[in-house]
Amino acid sequence: MATPALAAVTMGPKGTLAAVGAAVGVSLATATYNQAWGSQQVYTNFLALFLVSAASFMTSSAARTRRENELNQVRRIATAAQEVLLRPVPDRLGPVRASSMYLAAETGAQIGGDLYDVFQTRYGVRMIVGDVRGKGLPAVRAAAVVLGAFREVVHYEDDLAEVINHCGEALRRDAVVAVAGVVGGDDALLEGFVTALVAQIPDSPHFETINRGHPLPLLLSNGTVRPLMPTVPLPPFGLEEFISGPPALTDSYPFAPGDRLQLYTDGVIEARDGDDTCFDLPEAMMAMRDHTRQAFLEGLRQALLRHAQSRLADDVAVILVDRCEDEGHQPTGGPT
């Protein structure tokens, strides 16, 4: 009779019913083997088994309902946190149109260690995409620190290098506070480095980037896809001691009407199939070059999940930006 009660604690309603069935089967076999049918003890045992089974089933159902309510509450909180941390990208910003996609690798999660944001400012359209080393709440905290610093400085700092330096300094301060009195020292900062890329798209047909150890952006132009190498490779935030030259260099690339720019995190290119083959993002971008932004992102989502057999090893964030064919937009250059 203890079997249904134990099942109610460790298993769901279906598992409890299976345990009840097993207990009934054992009781029937025991009564038959002992030739005890017709005795008061057999019927007493079956009555006790029925009462315990009914109570166990109701307990299991109530526990499952409570767990589902708690999980739904956590999901609502995660959704609210995502809306604050990773806000939807506006469709039209000055001379460009943009869309975004986010996929969290952790089962049941909606936010993780990847980050992005896009703003229209007096200096042009500015955006950031980044990836925090690690997962869980520490990664979410680091992402929030970098995004908060970016949102604070993006509208008033004219130098793109100062924008990304501000983000790195904010992360360094937060890391120092987090480890103060616990482990201390610079080694602790290595555990929380963040790759990041900031980009600025003015009204003129070009854009500027600074890359801090992040995967190379892809530019679709004139029917070809090419990765954009930085002039001087720079390490991620948290590894500033490895910078031997200038702290940040701004690279400029042509970005004409009809061109498409894709910024992403390494969860895309590190998605692997059963043969341990990485996802070919340039090939996917080329294959879907005629798709609209939304159709491209949906196609990319399906291709990623299909390639990784629905088991992403890392979070995925993508920003897709199209330079508009028309020039019917409000020029940047005045206060936002």
Side-chain angles (χ1 to χ4, degrees), residues 110-274:
Q110 292 179 288
I111 54 177
D114 288 6
L115 59 101
Y116 64 83
D117 213 341
V118 181
F119 290 97
Q120 183 175 359
T121 74
R122 72 186 72 183
Y123 313 108
V125 177
R126 285 179 165 178
M127 59 192 73
I128 185 172
V129 62
D131 187 2
V132 181
R133 179 181 184 271
K135 296 182 175 66
L137 290 179
V140 175
R141 170 176 172 163
V145 169
V146 174
L147 279 177
F150 178 76
R151 291 165 179 170
E152 176 186 354
V153 73
V154 69
H155 288 289
Y156 65 80
E157 181 58 65
D158 62 344
D159 189 346
L160 196 62
E162 289 302 318
V163 173
I164 200 166
N165 289 340
H166 187 80
C167 296
E169 180 63 20
L171 186 67
R172 189 196 68 79
R173 289 195 304 267
D174 184 77
V176 170
V177 171
V179 302
V182 181
V183 292
D186 292 338
D187 290 342
L189 301 181
L190 300 180
E191 295 299 319
F193 69 78
V194 180
T195 68
L197 183 145
V198 295
Q200 178 173 290
I201 305 175
D203 290 331
S204 55
H206 76 282
F207 72 99
E208 302 165 352
T209 68
I210 299 178
N211 192 332
R212 291 293 300 270
H214 198 72
L216 303 178
L218 297 177
L219 178 64
L220 173 61
S221 179
N222 297 320
T224 61
V225 175
R226 65 185 180 101
L228 304 178
M229 293 288 298
T231 303
V232 178
L234 294 171
F237 297 146
L239 304 179
E240 281 78 10
E241 62 268 31
F242 295 104
I243 298 178
S244 56
L249 292 176
T250 302
D251 292 301
S252 181
Y253 307 93
F255 193 41
D259 289 353
R260 171 170 288 178
L261 175 66
Q262 184 175 193
L263 311 180
Y264 56 93
T265 57
D266 61 8
V268 182
I269 54 177
E270 293 181 0
R272 299 176 183 269
D273 61 11

Side-chain angles (χ1 to χ4, degrees), residues 90-121:
D91 177 73
R92 182 68 184 258
L93 300 116
V96 302
R97 292 188 179 275
S99 300
S100 63
M101 178 181 73
Y102 189 92
L103 296 174
E106 188 172 344
T107 303
Q110 292 179 288
I111 54 177
D114 288 6
L115 59 101
Y116 64 83
D117 213 341
V118 181
F119 290 97
Q120 183 175 359
T121 74

Side-chain angles (χ1 to χ4, degrees), residues 54-66:
S56 299
F57 180 79
M58 289 186 292
T59 300
S60 178
S61 298
R64 180 179 180 179
T65 300
R66 183 174 64 255

